[in-house]
Amino acid sequence: MTFPVLKRKLSFSIPQMKLSGDKQVAACFLDAVKANPDEAWAFVSKVYSPGLDLNELREVLSGSAQKMVSKAMYLSGSKNCLMRSIYVEDPQRNFKRLLHLRMIREPDHNGQWKIFGVEQEECGRI
């Protein structure tokens, strides 16, 4: 008994990841922190995440206006780590801060860059 032979062309397709730029990842991370900190963990590095307090960051961002103030700055000459700075101002609470989002290249289905640290710098008050 012989079985029919079916000819099939093998094609290997590598799934394409939707890689966002570092500016988009920073903006999406801040939006997720304001909406629901549990969803924001998707934008945080798996390696460096224990030190982040997203609930505290949410309090800083609540009711404030944000503006991206710097271009990407690569840290230590490596193209795998960079920093984005965001200016946060809340006239009702009378504070102005710079948030420095430190990012590392760690691609997955949510994007190419992941947050591994957030530093706050207070600006002068009026």
Side-chain angles (χ1 to χ4, degrees):
M1 177 179 215
T2 60
F3 294 101
V5 176
L6 299 174
K7 292 187 179 183
R8 187 177 127 186
K9 183 179 178 182
L10 295 176
S11 65
F12 296 99
S13 63
I14 299 171
Q16 295 294 321
M17 293 190 319
K18 183 179 179 185
L19 299 177
S20 301
D22 57 304
K23 200 175 208 179
Q24 294 168 336
V25 170
C28 290
F29 169 71
L30 293 176
D31 290 341
V33 168
K34 285 174 80 171
N36 183 6
D38 292 334
E39 293 177 8
W41 286 109
F43 298 98
V44 176
S45 171
K46 309 286 186 272
V47 179
Y48 296 100
S49 61
L52 286 178
D53 185 1
L54 297 185
N55 290 321
E56 180 184 341
L57 185 58
R58 184 179 187 185
E59 290 176 17
V60 169
L61 295 174
S62 65
S64 61
Q66 303 146 23
K67 181 171 68 169
M68 198 81 64
V69 293
S70 73
K71 295 187 176 189
M73 299 186 313
Y74 290 99
L75 304 174
S76 69
S78 171
K79 294 197 177 199
N80 293 322
C81 296
L82 61 89
M83 182 173 67
R84 277 268 177 209
S85 297
I86 288 104
Y87 177 71
V88 177
E89 180 179 21
D90 189 352
Q92 293 178 351
R93 294 189 288 178
N94 192 24
F95 80 75
K96 299 174 183 178
R97 291 188 184 167
L98 276 175
L99 295 178
H100 303 290
L101 301 178
R102 294 183 177 271
M103 295 190 271
I104 189 165
R105 190 182 308 263
E106 194 176 290
D108 70 359
H109 64 280
N110 290 317
Q112 184 173 8
W113 294 96
K114 298 291 178 235
I115 309 294
F116 73 87
V118 179
E119 297 174 2
Q120 296 183 41
E121 181 181 339
E122 279 204 41
C123 300
R125 296 182 184 199
I126 299 173

